[in-house]
């Protein structure tokens, strides 16, 4: 401890002194735009010191802590966290997991990506099943855009076995009605991510594209008039439409 105030313990517990820092770190999973492709990404990672601290056996992380751990995990650690704490995963955690997986795999050569997908088949199937079960009223437009963009980066381009691509299409089939319903409240970036994800996975969803087109026209009109709280589309977002 310093100045009589405790810091992290050997069991991985954290103290109020670090609460604000970890809350800020958890927010790093918010949707931003990658310079190389449409889809979610994040600012540079904060220190991994707190995220790497071990937990007592059976001790469950609270939602904010779990998001922090996911945001600082590599792809294997994402699978391990979901296996260990799947009952704690909300739509926000699921979208962060897919975002981290997608970002990690997007830079891998095709052969290495396919090999990793095959090696983690059971873990990815479990994550997909949890995502499928969470679609519906509990998913917000930001979580949905993150999830689908991450999913497209993992499975897009024909990577993985046919069974995995079928799983991706099954998730998109379930997500399509939700996406069509939520598209009307999406930001320019979220609309672009949504359209890019369905296109990347070669999935035809007329209702989704119609809703995205309608929302895009609304945003273009509002942005052109300088509407309050509305920003215009960025060039990369327009290219995805």
């Amino acid at each position: 401890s310093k100045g009589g105030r405790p810091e992290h313990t050997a069991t991985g517990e954290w103290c109020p002194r670090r609460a604000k820092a970890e809350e800020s770190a958890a927010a790093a999973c918010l949707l931003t735009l990658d310079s190389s492709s449409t889809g979610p990404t994040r600012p540079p990672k904060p220190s991994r010191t707190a995220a790497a601290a071990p937990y007592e056996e059976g001790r469950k992380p609270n939602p904010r802590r779990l998001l922090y751990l996911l945001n600082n995990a590599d792809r294997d650690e994402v699978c391990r966290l979901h296996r260990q704490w799947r009952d704690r995963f909300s739509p926000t955690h699921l979208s962060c997991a897919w975002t981290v997986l997608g970002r990690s795999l997007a830079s891998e050569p095709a052969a290495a990506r396919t090999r990793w997908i095959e090696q983690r088949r059971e873990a990815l199937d479990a994550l997909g099943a949890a995502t499928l079960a969470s679609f519906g009223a509990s998913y917000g437009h930001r979580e949905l855009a993150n999830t689908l963009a991450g999913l497209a980066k993992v499975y897009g381009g024909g990577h993985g076995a046919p069974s995995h691509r079928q799983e991706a299409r099954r998730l998109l089939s379930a997500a399509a009605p939700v996406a069509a319903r939520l598209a009307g409240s999406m930001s320019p970036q979220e609309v672009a991510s949504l359209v890019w994800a369905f296109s990347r996975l070669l999935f035809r969803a007329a209702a989704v594209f119609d809703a995205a087109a309608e929302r895009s026209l609304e945003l273009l009109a509002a942005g052109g008039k300088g509407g309050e709280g509305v920003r215009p589309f960025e060039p990369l977002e327009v290219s995805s439409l």
Side-chain angles (χ1 to χ4, degrees):
S1 64
K2 296 181 180 179
R5 291 178 295 180
E7 297 191 4
H8 283 73
T9 68
T11 61
E13 298 179 6
W14 70 97
C15 66
R17 184 181 180 185
R18 296 289 181 91
K20 288 187 178 180
E22 293 186 357
E23 182 175 357
S24 298
C29 201
L30 294 177
L31 188 70
T32 57
L33 193 63
D34 195 329
S35 60
S36 60
S37 62
T38 297
T41 185
R42 64 183 177 190
K45 290 183 180 180
S47 170
R48 295 177 60 94
T49 302
Y55 272 92
E56 293 182 45
E57 185 68 24
R59 172 176 164 77
K60 294 184 178 181
N62 66 31
R64 186 174 297 146
R65 175 68 170 180
L66 181 55
L67 189 61
Y68 181 91
L69 293 171
L70 283 168
N71 195 44
N72 284 274
D74 59 27
R75 55 180 179 256
D76 290 324
E77 180 69 4
V78 167
C79 295
R80 189 196 67 77
L81 286 168
H82 183 255
R83 182 174 63 251
Q84 185 175 5
W85 305 116
R86 66 183 63 188
D87 61 322
R88 308 287 287 181
F89 271 60
S90 68
T92 300
H93 297 107
L94 292 168
S95 68
C96 186
W98 284 112
T99 297
V100 173
L101 290 177
R103 185 186 305 111
S104 173
L105 289 170
S107 60
E108 289 287 336
R113 187 190 311 191
T114 298
R115 183 167 57 252
W116 187 87
I117 290 173
E118 292 302 315
Q119 292 171 347
R120 300 296 183 274
R121 175 168 185 161
E122 183 178 347
L124 290 172
D125 285 350
L127 185 62
T131 304
L132 186 64
S134 297
F135 281 144
S138 62
Y139 247 86
H141 51 85
R142 173 172 291 179
E143 290 85 2
L144 186 67
N146 270 325
T147 296
L148 296 182
L151 187 73
K153 286 185 177 182
V154 172
Y155 292 117
H159 299 292
S163 60
H164 277 96
R165 294 193 289 276
Q166 291 171 6
E167 174 68 9
R169 294 182 66 82
R170 190 165 73 98
L171 286 168
L172 287 182
S173 295
V178 184
R181 174 170 56 83
L182 295 178
S185 58
M186 287 185 173
S187 69
Q189 187 174 338
E190 292 161 356
V191 173
S193 292
L194 181 71
V195 172
W196 179 84
F198 276 88
S199 301
R200 174 71 171 166
L201 291 166
L202 304 178
F203 191 90
R204 295 181 179 179
V208 173
F209 288 114
D210 288 346
E214 183 176 350
R215 178 57 174 167
S216 297
L217 291 174
E218 292 175 357
L219 291 168
L220 287 169
K225 296 177 181 178
E228 184 177 356
V230 178
R231 68 165 178 81
F233 278 92
E234 298 290 339
L236 185 58
E237 296 165 347
V238 174
S239 71
S240 296
L241 300 174

